[in-house]
């Protein structure tokens, strides 16, 4: 079942945070999957405001993806970004934030990450953005719908989209480790947030177009508990 909520960023943040809080409250080992990028910010801001409603004593955070090739502690690594955005403000010990171990060979790092997710009992609720090319996490177009955590070469479109976070576009890594589409689909609840006119076409394709690897986010149509949060601009092409 997919629920769509259209509204302003503050409202989307409140609805998204409430869905996250509800899913975590129902779990004996609460595990929140966290995304990077600009879109999830309203949800994170509301979660920080409502931190008293979060099971902080046992909460685990799992990143969707991580760049390969950045030195440890690089300010643009997703680990650093999520520590700054969530772990530190929530007062979580950073070992409660799990990210792929990019110091290992990618295949080993990927297998170990899948094992960590399984050992935690799976992800209760996964926050997601969507790339302008329809990627989910870093599952680029052409990603198999049954893919697992693995190393992926970033599309040039994605590198261009993400260059805004780097001092020099040439610094944007070419490779990453990403949770696979099948990995993401195993989460109990998915909360996708999309904002801005640039996401209108791809959001419509993801939610109402054919399900296939050309638009990896279309896999969401097969999940039983999806909350889609969109502002007016991103919802403009939805039926
Ligand atoms: C990156 C991330 C994705 C994110 C996407 C969209 O590629 N790996 O998880 O959904 O960017 O980012 P934004 O929300 O900034 O548009």
């Amino acid at each position: 079942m997919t629920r769509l909520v259209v509204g302003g960023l503050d409202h989307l943040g409140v609805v998204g945070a409430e869905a996250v809080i509800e899913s975590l409250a129902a779990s004996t080992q609460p595990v929140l999957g966290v995304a990077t990028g600009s879109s999830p910010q309203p949800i994170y801001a509301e979660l920080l405001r409502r931190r008293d409603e979060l099971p902080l004593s046992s909460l685990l955070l799992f990143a969707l993806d991580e760049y390969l090739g950045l030195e440890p502690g690089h300010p643009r690594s997703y680990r650093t970004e999520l520590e700054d955005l969530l772990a530190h403000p929530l007062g979580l010990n950073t070992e409660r934030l799990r990210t792929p171990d990019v110091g290992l060979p990618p295949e080993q790092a990927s297998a170990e990450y899948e094992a960590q997710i399984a050992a935690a009992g799976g992800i209760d609720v996964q926050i997601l953005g969507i790339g302008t090319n329809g990627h989910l996490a870093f599952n680029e177009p052409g990603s198999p719908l049954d893919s697992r955590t693995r190393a992926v070469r970033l599309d040039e479109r994605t590198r261009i989209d993400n260059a805004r976070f780097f001092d020099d576009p040439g610094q944007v890594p070419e490779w990453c480790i990403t949770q696979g589409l099948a990995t993401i689909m195993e989460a109990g609840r998915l909360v996708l947030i999309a904002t801005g006119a640039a996401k209108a076409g791809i959001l419509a394709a993801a939610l109402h177009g054919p399900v296939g690897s050309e638009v990896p986010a279309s896999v969401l149509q097969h999940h039983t508990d999806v909350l889609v949060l969109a502002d007016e601009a991103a919802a403009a092409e939805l039926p």
Side-chain angles (χ1 to χ4, degrees):
M1 186 269 284
T2 298
R3 181 161 70 102
L4 171 66
V5 173
V6 180
L9 295 187
D10 290 346
H11 179 60
L12 299 181
V14 168
V15 175
E18 288 178 348
V20 165
I21 290 165
E22 180 187 53
S23 289
L24 295 178
S27 177
T28 52
Q29 168 47 70
V31 180
L32 171 58
V34 285
T36 53
S38 310
S39 304
Q41 299 309 318
I43 300 175
Y44 294 153
E46 185 65 14
L47 286 175
L48 292 183
R49 275 192 287 273
R50 298 171 72 155
R51 76 184 65 207
D52 296 342
E53 299 175 61
L54 290 170
L56 293 177
S57 61
S58 54
L59 181 63
L60 293 177
L61 305 176
F62 275 81
L64 262 184
D65 40 24
E66 177 58 284
Y67 286 119
L68 285 169
L70 296 179
E71 71 269 9
H74 189 287
R76 298 278 50 97
S77 77
Y78 282 172
R79 175 163 199 88
T80 303
E81 190 173 322
L82 290 165
E83 284 179 356
D84 294 345
L85 268 177
L86 285 171
H88 294 150
L90 288 174
L92 284 183
N93 182 316
T94 51
E95 64 86 25
R96 301 263 217 88
L97 168 63
R98 304 293 167 78
T99 54
D101 184 348
V102 293
L104 296 173
E107 282 195 17
Q108 182 184 349
S110 300
E112 289 192 5
Y113 203 54
E114 285 278 349
Q116 280 190 48
I117 293 171
I123 292 171
D124 295 297
V125 51
Q126 176 67 59
I127 295 170
L128 295 162
I130 183 170
T132 54
N133 64 355
H135 76 222
L136 213 48
F138 271 134
N139 292 281
E140 299 284 32
S143 293
L145 299 190
D146 63 354
S147 52
R148 306 301 304 194
T149 300
R150 70 204 184 285
V152 167
R153 184 168 198 154
L154 300 184
D155 274 10
E156 269 318 297
R157 173 91 173 268
T158 298
R159 298 188 69 240
I160 291 164
D161 285 347
N162 289 3
R164 69 185 191 277
F165 298 110
F166 290 80
D167 297 334
D168 168 0
Q171 290 177 347
V172 182
E174 294 192 12
W175 288 84
C176 73
I177 290 181
T178 183
Q179 284 189 37
L181 294 171
T183 317
I184 292 167
M185 288 291 283
E186 287 176 347
R189 166 176 279 178
L190 303 178
V191 178
L192 170 70
I193 182 166
T195 59
K199 300 290 176 72
I202 200 62
L203 185 64
L207 299 183
H208 301 286
V211 176
S213 60
E214 299 72 33
V215 180
S218 63
V219 75
L220 297 177
Q221 294 180 40
H222 290 169
H223 198 282
T224 57
D225 185 354
V226 181
L227 170 62
V228 176
L229 305 169
D231 64 2
E232 293 287 347
E237 296 185 30
L238 296 180

